[in-house]
Amino acid sequence: MKYLFHLLLFIIPAQCLADAKSDSVWVRQHYTKREIYIPMRDGIRLYTAVYEPKDRAEKHPILINRTPYSIAPYGEDAFKAFWNNYWMNYLHEGYVIVLQDVRGRMMSEGVFEDVRPYNDHKSDNNRQQIDEASDTYDTIEWLLKNVKDNNGKVGAFGISYPGFYATMAALSQHPALKAASPQAPVTDWFAGDDFHHNGAFMLLDAFGFYSSFGKPRPYPVKTWPKGFDYYSKDNYKFYLETGALKNFAALMGDSIKFWNDLYAHPNYDEWWQVRNTRSHVQHIPKRTATLVVGGTFDAEDCYGAWNLYQAIEHKAKNDNRLIMGPWAHNNWALNSYEYLGNIRFGSNLSKYYQEHFEVPYFNYYLKGKGNIDFIKEANIYFSGVDRWRGFNQWPPKGMNEKALYLQPGGALSFSKPAPDGGNSRYTSDPANPVPYTEDVHFGRVKEYMTDDQRFASRRPDVLVFKTDVLKQDLTLAGPVIADFFASITTTDADFVVKLIDVFPDDFSYPDSIKGNGKNYPMGGYQMLVRGEVMRGRYRNSLEHPEAFTPKEITKVRFTIPDVAHVFKAGHKVMLQVQSTWFPLVDRNPQQFVNIYKADDKDFVKSTIRLYHDAEHPSAIVLPVLD
């Protein structure tokens, strides 16, 4: 990262540096900082930085961000680099900004627990139970009593893991908490966020993150521990040569508690279920509004944003709204972001979001300023046509599920296949897995979410189906469903489904696209719109895995996170199906064994068939908006 930072110093325009210096001076002129330990109900103290406006002419709302990632820089003379990011909006509005190291992290006391389970604090027996909601409640109580000139109204927000803590803030039930915004929120680490998708282990992210984040800390500590020392910067090479998951456990060692817990709970048992925040959102009080935010091309917590919104909508009675833009993880918090890889979206979308949605939202609930009638129930940016649309519900009224059927010869059609449609097959070899991206990388790259899939189309272990050229636009708005009839020659296999927008051969943007710093030919581009994996053993239940009977035709049906995309007339819809996606997803031994305990010798080839005849009409079910 330090090399990237030095490079950026050369490419940031002089005006931006001048603006940053100006903002830095402004913050120090208008704000004071103090660092304190705030006591919790059990006596543990949480390290907290409070940035307070010097202006005492009016009462100020409080905005809290709780994080496991550090509230650095530490020291009352060391100000956070607020300038040139979204925080400046709130500083200019006169908010009290509160940053806190969560329990057991960095400078805070106590023991850290990943996605600490929530307790129902309405029960007398649980009022003294400690969780992230109770820590938020106690923090708010202290702030209201000890921050001068606060107006008695509090908001909370956070992105990614801090998005989980924003959900916990909403669950704190504190009467002063008027609004919370979980953004790309960690919601369910087994079903769809970060470390598992439908039970499949997201190896690249998990090992890269926990080999550093998970290390036991000395107390107190102001810096992160060093991560794993890789012998190769080619992640495909490193992860393939390391082999089975038990080998990664050996590299990780015994000191990282969550890694050991993860291996001890290979299925969606109670240990995982209590960490699913969707199970608890019915306890969010009506008085606390929620604004769920996410990116349609977020590689980490796209699932969490869509599904937390739906859970709150169905279980709670509060004002609950959704904003989804075409961003990678966290990119709505930047001042401008137009490209994801080689795909161009509208200009300055993050700034538009901050000024048009988020800041007015908090101003309304915490300052009583303006109105938010223009923020619809669901505010969704549609890629393909690059524009925002507002809806009174999501999925929107007028969305109909329409099956796009697999056909012989690699065709896709809204017509059902013929009686003699047969099947298509490929052989999945764990020793030669399909890479998740064409290029050589060290860490997981966000650009894969819209990557050109032509490299995968050429592989024999990837099935490719596509429509004829579309004669009119096809608008998708909602979840996608994979509905397959399949057989395999072993007792388990993964199913990776990729929904792809195929650009016309003569396509070109009005001006060149500088994806990754280079011009790129867009004619024939196969843009990944959404990809998802299902570990086959969990096809009927994440709790109770089931082996396949070799060569027996079996129903495999699962939901893929929502899309908001328009396939333009002149384009084609493509579907790719494969059984490895490496090293993004760990390799399935393709045998019904405990994958976390499997040996290298347990990995075998499997022949997978997808059937497309009248009796077995495999399809991808699309959320078509009329």
Side-chain angles (χ1 to χ4, degrees):
M1 285 297 293
K2 64 181 181 180
Y3 303 108
L4 175 60
F5 173 76
H6 290 308
L7 176 61
L8 289 174
L9 288 181
F10 290 101
I11 64 175
I12 294 175
Q15 183 60 48
C16 291
L17 294 175
D19 290 344
K21 183 177 181 180
S22 175
D23 285 340
S24 174
V25 172
W26 186 93
V27 173
R28 291 178 180 274
Q29 287 176 341
H30 292 83
Y31 271 78
T32 61
K33 178 189 179 185
R34 58 178 169 141
E35 295 183 357
I36 65 270
Y37 274 108
I38 296 180
M40 302 293 104
R41 63 191 63 183
D42 62 345
I44 292 296
R45 302 178 305 158
L46 304 187
Y47 202 80
T48 309
V50 181
Y51 294 83
E52 299 172 78
K54 294 180 180 179
D55 178 15
R56 302 297 185 183
E58 63 178 6
K59 301 291 185 179
H60 303 286
I62 298 171
L63 191 57
I64 299 175
N65 183 280
R66 304 183 67 241
T67 179
Y69 296 139
S70 169
I71 61 170
Y74 295 97
E76 294 190 347
D77 293 330
F79 278 60
K80 181 178 175 64
F82 290 121
W83 38 93
N84 280 343
N85 67 31
Y86 64 100
W87 290 102
M88 285 302 298
N89 297 312
Y90 297 108
L91 295 170
H92 284 297
E93 288 282 350
Y95 281 72
V96 176
I97 301 297
V98 177
L99 309 178
Q100 185 176 77
D101 287 333
V102 298
R103 178 181 292 253
R105 291 294 295 176
M106 310 306 290
M107 293 289 287
S108 284
E109 297 176 351
V111 176
F112 178 72
E113 183 176 354
D114 275 288
V115 286
R116 191 187 303 272
Y118 171 77
N119 292 291
D120 177 6
H121 294 278
K122 290 183 178 180
S123 168
D124 289 338
N125 293 331
N126 286 337
R127 288 190 183 277
Q128 294 305 313
Q129 293 288 331
I130 302 303
D131 61 13
E132 303 303 340
S134 69
D135 282 354
T136 307
Y137 189 103
D138 295 347
T139 298
I140 293 173
E141 278 289 283
W142 189 95
L143 292 169
L144 293 174
K145 296 174 182 176
N146 293 277
V147 173
K148 293 181 179 180
D149 298 314
N150 76 79
N151 71 356
K153 296 181 179 180
V154 180
F157 77 136
I159 301 173
S160 193
Y161 214 148
F164 162 80
Y165 294 107
T167 306
M168 291 297 108
L171 285 166
S172 73
Q173 303 176 12
H174 197 289
L177 188 80
K178 304 302 181 183
S181 182
Q183 302 180 8
V186 167
T187 299
D188 190 332
W189 267 352
F190 195 86
D193 288 322
D194 291 291
F195 303 131
H196 293 86
H197 286 205
N198 296 308
F201 186 38
M202 308 303 283
L203 175 60
L204 182 56
D205 277 5
F207 186 81
F209 181 74
Y210 266 95
S211 59
S212 173
F213 178 84
K215 287 183 177 178
R217 57 152 197 175
Y219 168 75
V221 63
K222 295 182 178 180
T223 58
W224 272 40
K226 183 181 178 182
F228 183 77
D229 188 13
Y230 296 82
Y231 68 81
S232 173
K233 298 300 182 183
D234 179 344
N235 59 38
Y236 188 96
K237 171 183 170 66
F238 168 77
Y239 284 92
L240 187 60
E241 291 180 351
T242 301
L245 287 183
K246 65 187 303 183
N247 302 332
F248 287 92
L251 294 179
M252 192 71 80
D254 295 327
S255 64
I256 298 180
K257 182 178 183 301
F258 179 78
W259 197 260
N260 295 332
D261 287 336
L262 188 154
Y263 275 55
H265 300 276
N267 305 320
Y268 195 54
D269 59 14
E270 184 181 4
W271 189 88
W272 286 111
Q273 292 169 22
V274 297
R275 288 165 170 76
N276 172 13
T277 58
R278 294 175 298 160
S279 300
H280 312 296
V281 294
Q282 64 270 20
H283 298 298
I284 296 176
K286 187 175 181 179
R287 62 177 175 264
T288 300
T290 47
L291 180 69
V292 181
V293 181
T296 53
F297 297 107
D298 183 346
E300 296 165 52
D301 297 297
C302 181
Y303 175 96
W306 289 117
N307 288 279
L308 180 65
Y309 163 78
Q310 291 291 353
I312 296 174
E313 194 66 17
H314 289 100
K315 294 182 179 182
K317 298 179 180 180
N318 67 332
D319 178 2
N320 177 45
R321 308 189 191 204
L322 173 69
I323 298 174
M324 295 292 291
W327 298 297
H329 195 63
N330 190 48
N331 281 141
W332 53 94
L334 305 178
N335 268 348
S336 64
Y337 196 79
E338 297 183 36
Y339 304 104
L340 184 59
N342 294 290
I343 300 300
R344 181 179 64 182
F345 302 113
S347 178
N348 231 352
L349 293 177
S350 58
K351 184 177 181 181
Y352 177 86
Y353 155 76
Q354 293 157 23
E355 295 179 352
H356 191 75
F357 293 128
E358 185 181 296
V359 176
Y361 182 84
F362 278 115
N363 279 347
Y364 176 79
Y365 279 106
L366 304 187
K367 301 183 75 173
K369 177 180 176 181
N371 70 76
I372 54 172
D373 293 342
F374 58 88
I375 304 178
K376 302 299 183 183
E377 170 74 17
N379 309 270
I380 313 296
Y381 190 93
F382 280 74
S383 51
V385 290
D386 295 326
R387 67 185 180 98
W388 290 98
R389 294 187 65 178
F391 301 95
N392 294 325
Q393 65 182 62
W394 186 266
K397 185 178 180 179
M399 184 278 280
N400 296 292
E401 294 183 347
K402 295 186 178 180
L404 192 56
Y405 294 97
L406 281 60
Q407 306 284 351
L412 273 178
S413 170
F414 287 108
S415 300
K416 287 188 176 181
D420 58 351
N423 63 78
S424 299
R425 69 176 182 177
Y426 62 95
T427 298
S428 172
D429 182 1
N432 183 28
V434 180
Y436 81 104
T437 186
E438 183 175 21
D439 297 328
V440 175
H441 297 290
F442 172 47
R444 196 261 303 133
V445 294
K446 62 181 180 292
E447 289 82 7
Y448 91 87
M449 293 291 288
T450 60
D451 256 357
D452 189 345
Q453 299 300 306
R454 281 179 282 195
F455 78 95
S457 296
R458 295 188 284 264
R459 288 185 59 114
D461 50 358
V462 177
L463 291 183
V464 179
F465 302 88
K466 59 184 176 181
T467 65
D468 293 333
V469 173
L470 298 176
K471 295 181 179 179
Q472 60 186 28
D473 291 358
L474 178 67
T475 300
L476 304 188
V480 177
I481 299 171
D483 190 17
F484 297 154
F485 291 90
S487 69
I488 66 176
T489 56
T490 54
T491 51
D492 195 19
D494 289 350
F495 292 85
V496 177
V497 175
K498 297 187 292 188
L499 181 65
I500 295 162
D501 185 344
V502 182
F503 287 49
D505 289 336
D506 60 352
F507 180 87
S508 63
Y509 283 117
D511 52 6
S512 63
I513 292 301
K514 297 185 172 77
N516 297 321
K518 61 185 179 182
N519 294 333
Y520 193 93
M522 297 298 292
Y525 196 95
Q526 296 178 6
M527 172 190 169
L528 181 63
V529 175
R530 177 70 73 239
E532 187 58 294
V533 57
M534 163 58 71
R535 182 133 290 168
R537 64 181 63 192
Y538 298 117
R539 63 196 179 278
N540 295 321
S541 168
L542 294 177
E543 295 178 67
H544 307 293
E546 299 176 40
F548 286 78
T549 299
K551 300 184 180 181
E552 180 179 288
I553 298 177
T554 306
K555 184 83 162 178
V556 177
R557 180 182 172 94
F558 60 98
T559 301
I560 296 168
D562 300 38
V563 296
H565 183 79
V566 178
F567 291 80
K568 295 288 290 180
H571 291 224
K572 297 178 182 179
V573 180
M574 176 182 283
L575 183 69
Q576 291 184 4
V577 183
Q578 59 203 56
S579 290
T580 50
W581 209 15
F582 193 75
L584 188 68
V585 181
D586 75 310
R587 297 170 304 141
N588 190 329
Q590 303 186 150
Q591 300 193 79
F592 193 70
V593 297
N594 184 334
I595 297 178
Y596 296 93
K597 296 181 178 180
D599 294 314
D600 291 324
K601 61 180 175 58
D602 293 324
F603 290 76
V604 298
K605 294 181 181 180
S606 182
T607 298
I608 289 92
R609 295 176 186 267
L610 293 185
Y611 293 81
H612 35 66
D613 58 58
E615 187 178 356
H616 308 102
S618 295
I620 187 81
V621 182
L622 302 178
V624 178
L625 185 62
D626 292 334

